[in-house]
Amino acid sequence: HTAVPVLLVRARVNHKLGDAAAAAADRAAALATEPTDERGWVARGTAHLATDHKKALADYEKALALNPRSAQ
């Protein structure tokens, strides 16, 4: 789902603006959303890296299944 990268960018912006609650809500929404494209899977996998390596790897594998030549 293309909303995943957008939610993660907005979470970073809200964090930098000092709105921790909005940042946490956006991050949680992004992690709860199932992506539908390579970009979304990679973004969600990267977001998972800090807390759950197994989920990150699973997300990256789904991105690779969609595009085995992915540069991301």
Side-chain angles (χ1 to χ4, degrees), residues 6-36:
V6 173
L7 286 166
L8 291 170
V9 167
R10 193 169 71 180
R12 286 192 299 272
V13 169
N14 281 325
H15 176 75
K16 288 184 181 205
L17 291 174
D19 191 343
D26 284 339
R27 181 174 168 77
L31 294 178
T33 300
E34 183 166 334
T36 58

Side-chain angles (χ1 to χ4, degrees), residues 1-2 4-6 9 35 37-44 63 66 72:
H1 194 276
T2 56
V4 172
V6 173
V9 167
D37 61 9
E38 170 195 355
R39 184 174 171 231
W41 286 113
V42 171
R44 197 175 84 165
L66 290 173
Q72 290 185 324

Side-chain angles (χ1 to χ4, degrees), residues 54-67:
K54 288 182 182 182
K55 286 183 180 179
L57 181 59
D59 286 352
Y60 291 144
E61 288 174 344
K62 289 183 180 178
L64 283 172
L66 290 173
N67 181 6

